[in-house]
Amino acid sequence: MENNSLTRPLGGLGQVAASTAASPQWSGRMAFVLAATGSAVGLGNIWKFPYITGEHGGAAFVLVYLACILVIGIPLLMAEVMIGRRGRHNPPHAMAALAGEAGASPRWRWLGWVGVLTGFLLLSFYVVVAGWAVAYIFDTGAGTFNTATGEQVGAHFGALLASPLTLIFWGSLVLALTLGIVALGVRQGLERAVNLMMPGLFLLLLVLVGYAMTTGHFMQGLAFLFNPDFGKLSGNSVLVALGHAFFTLSLAGGGMMTYGAYLPGKVSIAKTALTIGLLDTLVALLAGMVIFPLVFANGLEPGAGPGLLFVTLPIAFGQMPLGALFGALFFVMLSVAALTSAISLIEPAVAWLTGRYRISRARACLGSGVLMWLLSLGTVFSFNLWEQHTLFGKTFFGGLDYLTSSWIMPLSGLFIALFAGWVMSRTATEQELGRGPGYRLWRFTIRYLSPVFIVLMFLNAIGVFG
């Protein structure tokens, strides 16, 4: 397959491009779109987006969030994919090659290392939370929550968190599925999995939206999502929307850069990034169209916080006709979304191990999987055996989440924007993104707007704005 980014002279990239010309690639644009959308669509869309929307007033928050996707998310996504495709390697090697091409310090390779580490750390606790969703498929389908009270559902969730062995079992199952898919390779593993799971995810979402229409409160849910009341917005709401727009596209975790390395050279990065952003946002909105009618139909609180999916919604499903069936389908959908994100979080580490040590993907998956499983035990024990052991007021899980989401990812995103906008030459970025008004808008955004907004998001995350 022709690859224009590899056939033209690339200066410092010549050696890397030559050595990786035979590297695996997606079969085409749609394969990459599905894979990247799967990476972006995860627990953040179906778990976090609905409850933060509920906490911050609904539709006005949604509009600000959409604006942030356009201003921050899409330009940064384009930058990551561009770096991956031009470097044609795992994040550390790609960053080193592009820094060499630009005549910049080789220390930029550490930005790639941070991406690999971030994905590794994120997945170590992501598999545990994803395990909750898998467990709830069986709990809901078995009718555990039928006619259950709020206290009973809360006690059930508490019992799940209090059992280390149960959490280890479900988390290990998610990790094993993830590693099994990644071990099969780009075409046979990642691409085949997302080609099956992403259409299935959208089909499940549409089925559940149809179910939500039968609640008698569907229009109330739509009004909550799409009828803005800007009086409910605060400065903090805007910063929360900015932060979620940054994280929901799976940015600064190494995955998009790695996926970009497999992208054929003739595919438009700009059009692809816009498609991914649209699909990712569509999933979040459809999830809200499922969740809020169910919540309102049962007189529950839309701003119920992180417990919205694992306490509030099981109460709703337990009170409704066919609730066990559709509740199980909901958690199947949540599990699929989690799995498509999980495979992108481990792929950067696997890509680095196979490139650095020339070992098979299976061995790379096994080695990284064992380390990740051991690290995941810290998250498991944070909810039970180590619950009372904290550092700076945070459990192991809380500290790891805070470190990655509040410090590492925003700072990585900032440096990616600076590298793409100020270190890489205009010629290099034009060769990957094309010329024209769209390119000029991207370049202005990535050089000036994105860094400012990311700094604001970072300062908010660490508590500067209270």
Side-chain angles (χ1 to χ4, degrees), residues 54-364:
E55 289 176 337
H56 294 277
F61 177 84
V62 171
L63 288 176
V64 173
Y65 165 75
L66 293 176
C68 293
I69 285 284
L70 290 173
V71 175
I72 297 295
I74 300 299
L76 197 56
L77 176 60
M78 290 171 61
E80 284 206 45
V81 174
M82 175 189 67
I83 291 170
R85 186 169 75 176
R86 193 164 182 84
R88 287 292 181 207
H89 222 302
N90 58 69
H93 285 94
M95 290 299 303
L98 293 181
E101 180 192 30
S105 170
R107 293 188 181 90
W108 279 104
R109 71 181 183 277
W110 287 103
L111 186 56
W113 273 110
V114 170
V116 173
L117 176 63
T118 302
F120 192 89
L121 295 177
L122 284 171
L123 188 56
S124 73
F125 63 80
Y126 197 88
V127 294
V128 178
V129 179
W132 304 349
V134 178
Y136 266 55
I137 296 173
F138 300 95
D139 291 340
T140 308
T144 302
F145 305 117
N146 289 351
T147 70
T149 65
E151 290 76 12
Q152 289 171 327
V153 175
H156 180 88
F157 186 53
L160 172 68
L161 299 185
S163 173
L165 291 179
T166 303
L167 293 182
I168 289 172
F169 173 79
W170 292 115
S172 299
L173 177 61
V174 173
L175 181 58
L177 288 172
T178 302
L179 295 172
I181 291 170
V182 173
L184 292 174
V186 174
R187 290 281 185 94
Q188 297 301 314
L190 278 68
E191 184 171 323
R192 182 174 291 182
V194 297
N195 282 342
L196 175 66
M197 290 191 291
M198 290 309 296
L201 173 67
F202 278 98
L203 178 61
L204 285 171
L205 262 174
L206 292 176
V207 169
L208 289 165
V209 168
Y211 179 65
M213 290 180 178
T214 69
T215 63
H217 290 74
F218 187 71
M219 297 309 297
Q220 185 181 357
L222 288 185
F224 184 78
L225 273 174
F226 300 113
N227 186 18
D229 179 1
F230 290 99
K232 295 182 179 179
L233 274 180
S234 64
N236 184 60
S237 299
V238 175
L239 290 171
V240 170
L242 177 62
H244 190 65
F246 181 84
F247 297 122
T248 190
L249 288 176
S250 194
L251 301 173
M256 289 302 184
M257 200 180 293
T258 305
Y259 278 10
Y262 309 144
L263 184 64
K266 65 181 181 180
V267 174
S268 168
I269 291 176
K271 292 179 181 178
T272 303
L274 285 170
T275 302
I276 294 165
L278 175 64
L279 292 175
D280 178 74
T281 303
L282 179 61
V283 169
L285 294 176
L286 286 174
M289 292 166 65
V290 172
I291 291 169
F292 292 123
L294 296 175
V295 169
F296 291 136
N298 290 272
L300 301 172
E301 175 54 51
L308 180 65
L309 291 195
F310 297 103
V311 178
T312 304
L313 276 186
I315 297 172
F317 285 123
Q319 304 299 322
M320 304 186 71
L322 299 178
L325 171 62
F326 285 97
L329 289 177
F330 178 86
F331 286 107
V332 168
M333 176 192 67
L334 185 63
S335 300
V336 169
L339 191 57
T340 57
S341 291
I343 60 178
S344 73
L345 292 174
I346 189 63
E347 177 63 19
V350 171
W352 177 78
L353 286 170
T354 56
R356 174 65 176 82
Y357 294 106
R358 305 296 179 188
I359 60 176
S360 68
R361 290 181 69 90
R363 290 183 62 189

